[in-house]
């Protein structure tokens, strides 16, 4: 029996093709919009997460509370800590300097990340030519440099610049550095290098060499350093680092050592991305709501137009439930079909956008299923009012209308 | 003759109070199985109200209506629907076919609501259409047929599931004289096959075709006679 109601619902949808399509359009746009937002949101998350993963080893930052102690990490103390901590690649103090690359043609802004050789493990340091600077370079304060691709291109016009010498100016302290390696651009390197007329060029150098150039004693400067290790060892390192650092520094019981795990970053970005996705999805959902109201509107018009038909059906013995089912089925079929078309449209557009922007395109099947359920429920929900109106029409009145 | 329709002291009052309209005023009526009755009256006489009452489309304000011995005067909507489906075949002045459905689908409608299975339903509907001479036009939509043909589809729909009563409300009102004759002929044939036929009309020419003529005026039955001029075709 229900099959008959569904059949007659389909017949009436088909007998009014133009209007049925316009009604569906609201649902199609709504569903497509929601889907586009959610799929692109997922793709964005996946892309950002994989970028975070590619940032290489996990790091833990150890710092001294400068309000509680005036001590700094000396090179010797850092070496001791490095030797004592188990399961790590190594530790590196971190200093970043602004400087200039001075070439015969032009002077460029430079940004020099300084550290020890273990910094090769930090994200984006994929060497494509030459090598990263070594422990020996650091210990002997060799004036060597690892530049990124875009820096090489700007300075020399080509990438294989290993062995070249470049003159650097640290705001008055000048020295020649030899390039020992070229690393791949990260998206940030590329972004800074493309700042129009005033690019900032990225490079890495041993902290000891830069300290020497700028007459800076590395033994009384550092209040923090980073520990590089495998992700799996992170918890263990965090739990053992404090007592080792306190022992080496003679700071037991002073609560002056702070340990900070930096990989909380993927959680933070996740949260931010989720918030953005939710906000946009809510906006898209509003268009779906508007689509639903459109369905209700058209169904109400359809009931009014077909009052006589309803009267005829009732006079032939249709029960209230039969009429209700017929109109609900009509609304549900409209929105279900609209939902399917919306899914196809939405996924196609999301696929195109993901391709253009470079996000991972992935579709959660549960999402698609959910969207189908939602669109059908919208039809049922917004169809209830007009369907009830139809079902409770007085057959005599209904037969009298033209 | 067994009682099929029995109306006892029925009143139908619209707008109760000072401006009340007594559409039916203490009407009593018995129609037996296999009768051929015309109910004739001017517009406003109460004949439409009576027809709605007989067709279980309406319930009386007071009084009782027994159909096949069952009290149908105070039923719920759905119970009325079931009684209409089982007991009554309607033939309306305006045909009342559903425009989006073919002739066959229109005839199948009451069978669907009765819950008849697809195969049997088509068979019954096709039989009914053949009976009114439309065996060749089953897949036509109403707007592809003449008024007379549409009314014949409506008759097929009314007889498809063989209800005991055929209730025809001005069945020829929208038809030319040729088609009218055709329709009356079909109705008479159905009567001669044993169906109870009730025609509601304002046209004495149509009423004269029936065996029994009931005249209604101002909500009351003013005469109820056997038609002396009745002749079988």
């Amino acid at each position: 029996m229900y099959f008959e109601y569904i059949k007659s619902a389909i017949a009436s949808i088909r007998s009014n093709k133009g209007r049925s399509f316009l009604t569906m359009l609201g649902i199609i746009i709504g569903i497509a919009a929601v889907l586009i937002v959610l799929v692109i949101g997922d793709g964005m998350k996946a892309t950002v997460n994989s970028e975070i993963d590619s940032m290489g080893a996990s790091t833990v930052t150890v710092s001294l509370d400068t309000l509680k102690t005036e001590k700094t990490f000396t090179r010797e103390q850092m070496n001791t800590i490095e030797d004592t901590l188990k399961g790590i690649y190594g530790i590196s103090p971190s200093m970043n300097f602004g400087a200039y690359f001075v070439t015969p043609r032009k002077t460029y802004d430079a940004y020099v990340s300084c550290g020890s050789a273990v910094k090769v493990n930090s994200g984006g340091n994929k060497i494509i030519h030459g090598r990263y600077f070594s422990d020996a370079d650091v210990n002997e304060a060799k004036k060597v440099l690892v530049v990124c691709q875009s820096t090489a291109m700007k300075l020399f016009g080509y990438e294989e610049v290993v062995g070249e010498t470049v003159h650097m100016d640290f705001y008055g302290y000048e020295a020649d550095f030899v390039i020992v390696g070229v690393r791949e651009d990260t998206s940030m390197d590329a972004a800074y290098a493309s700042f129009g007329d005033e690019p900032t060029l990225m490079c890495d150098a041993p902290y000891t060499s830069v300290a020497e150039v700028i007459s800076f004693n590395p033994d009384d400067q550092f209040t923090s350093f980073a520990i590089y290790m495998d992700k799996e060892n992170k918890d263990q390192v965090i739990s053992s680092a404090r007592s080792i650092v306190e022992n080496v520094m003679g700071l037991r019981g002073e609560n002056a050592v702070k340990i900070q795990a930096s990989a909380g970053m993927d959680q933070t970005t996740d949260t931010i991305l989720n918030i953005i996705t939710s906000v946009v999805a809510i906006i898209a959902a509003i268009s779906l709501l508007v689509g639903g109201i459109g369905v209700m509107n058209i169904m109400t018009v359809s009931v009014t137009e077909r009052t006589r038909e309803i009267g005829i059906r009732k006079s032939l013995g249709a029960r209230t439930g039969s009429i209700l089912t017929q109109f609900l089925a009509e609304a549900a079929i409209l929105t279900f079909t609209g939902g399917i078309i919306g899914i196809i449209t939405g996924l196609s557009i999301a696929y195109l956008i993901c391709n253009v922007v470079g996000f991972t395109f992935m579709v959660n099947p549960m999402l698609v299923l959910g969207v189908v359920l939602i669109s059908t429920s919208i039809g049922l929900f917004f169809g209830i009012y007009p369907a009830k109106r139809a079902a409770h029409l007085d057959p005599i009145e209904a037969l009298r209308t033209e | 003759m067994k009682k099929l329709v029995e109306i006892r002291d029925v009143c139908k009052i619209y707008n109760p109070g000072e401006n009340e309209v007594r559409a039916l005023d203490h009407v009593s009526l018995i129609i037996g199985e296999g009768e051929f009755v015309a109910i004739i009256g001017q517009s406003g006489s109460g004949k439409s109200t009576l027809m709605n009452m007989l067709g279980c489309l309406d319930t009386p304000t007071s009084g009782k209506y027994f159909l096949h011995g069952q009290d149908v005067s105070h039923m719920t909507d759905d119970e009325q629907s079931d009684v209409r489906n089982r007991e009554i075949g309607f033939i309306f002045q305006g045909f009342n076919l559903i425009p989006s459905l073919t002739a066959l689908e229109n005839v199948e409608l009451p069978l669907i609501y009765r819950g008849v299975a697809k195969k049997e339903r088509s068979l019954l509907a096709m039989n009914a259409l053949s009976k009114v001479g439309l065996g060749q036009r089953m897949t036509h939509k109403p707007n592809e047929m003449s008024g007379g043909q549409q009314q014949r589809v409506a008759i097929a729909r009314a007889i498809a599931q063989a209800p005991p009563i055929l209730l025809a409300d001005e069945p020829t009102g929208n038809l030319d004289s040729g088609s009218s004759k055709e329709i009356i002929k079909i109705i008479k044939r159905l009567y001669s096959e044993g169906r109870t036929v009730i025609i509601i009309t304002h046209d004495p020419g149509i009423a004269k075709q029936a065996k029994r003529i009931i005249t209604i005026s101002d909500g009351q039955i003013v005469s109820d006679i056997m038609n002396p001029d009745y002749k079988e075709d």
Side-chain angles (χ1 to χ4, degrees), chain A residues 1 4-5 7-8 11-12 15 308-323 326 391-396 399-400, chain B residues 52 57-58 77-78 81-82 84-85 88 90 92 94-101 105-106 108-110 112-115 118 121 157 161:
Chain A
M1 252 248 274
E4 294 304 327
Y5 303 149
K7 234 175 77 179
S8 77
S12 102
S15 71
R308 193 180 180 83
E309 175 188 326
I310 295 162
I312 296 169
R313 287 176 182 273
K314 281 202 137 185
S315 75
L316 297 176
R319 291 185 176 191
T320 312
S322 321
I323 305 284
Q326 185 194 333
H392 291 291
L393 280 175
D394 175 8
I396 301 172
L399 282 171
R400 214 174 277 156
Chain B
N52 289 338
L57 289 164
D58 207 352
D77 249 23
D78 281 352
S81 287
D82 288 349
R84 285 196 293 271
N85 184 260
I88 297 154
F90 286 98
F92 297 100
F95 323 137
N96 280 348
L97 299 176
I98 293 177
S100 59
L101 303 181
E105 288 167 338
N106 265 292
E108 281 186 3
L109 272 181
I112 289 175
Y113 294 126
R114 173 132 333 152
K118 170 91 186 128
R121 196 165 73 212
R157 182 178 65 187
Q161 46 128 351

Side-chain angles (χ1 to χ4, degrees), chain A residues 51-72:
Chain A
E51 220 155 89
I52 288 176
D53 281 347
S54 78
M55 283 186 186
S58 290
T59 57
V60 168
T61 306
V62 177
S63 53
L64 296 176
D65 189 337
T66 50
L67 295 176
K68 294 189 175 152
T69 177
E70 289 185 351
K71 290 188 174 168
T72 56

Side-chain angles (χ1 to χ4, degrees), chain A residues 122-288:
Chain A
S122 71
N125 280 345
K126 204 188 230 171
I127 301 296
I128 45 179
H129 302 295
R131 60 175 177 86
Y132 207 72
F133 52 83
S134 63
D135 282 332
D137 293 331
V138 176
N139 289 337
E140 293 161 28
K142 289 255 180 71
K143 292 187 186 57
V144 292
L145 211 56
V146 173
V147 297
C148 65
Q149 279 172 290
S150 51
T151 304
M153 288 302 291
K154 286 277 181 202
L155 292 177
F156 298 98
Y158 58 96
E159 267 183 21
E160 289 186 73
V161 295
V162 175
E164 298 284 350
T165 302
V166 64
H167 188 70
M168 300 199 72
D169 173 2
F170 291 85
Y171 305 127
Y173 301 96
E174 302 192 23
D176 281 338
F177 279 75
V178 177
I179 297 171
V180 295
V182 180
R183 64 171 171 81
E184 206 173 67
D185 276 345
T186 64
S187 44
M188 204 159 71
D189 295 331
Y192 274 103
S194 62
F195 274 166
D197 291 339
E198 305 251 309
T200 300
L201 306 183
M202 302 291 186
C203 62
D204 296 12
Y207 72 99
T208 46
S209 351
V210 176
E212 197 177 286
V213 170
I214 63 178
S215 313
F216 179 118
N217 179 3
D219 282 343
D220 60 10
Q221 286 298 320
F222 296 112
T223 55
S224 74
F225 60 82
I227 307 172
Y228 290 84
M229 81 226 86
D230 253 357
K231 260 187 197 150
E232 301 91 77
N233 295 338
K234 192 163 160 188
D235 290 341
Q236 179 237 316
V237 169
I238 289 172
S239 65
S240 59
R242 181 182 301 280
S243 64
I244 290 171
V245 173
E246 284 181 348
N247 274 342
V248 171
M249 300 302 292
L251 284 170
R252 293 198 67 155
E254 296 193 27
N255 195 24
V257 175
K258 287 186 284 188
I259 312 272
Q260 217 170 17
S262 67
M265 173 155 176
D266 39 349
Q267 274 168 13
T268 317
T269 30
D270 236 31
T271 316
I272 294 170
L273 292 179
N274 278 341
I275 291 171
I276 295 173
T277 309
S278 312
V279 169
V280 185
I282 287 169
I283 295 170
I286 291 172
S287 75
L288 198 55

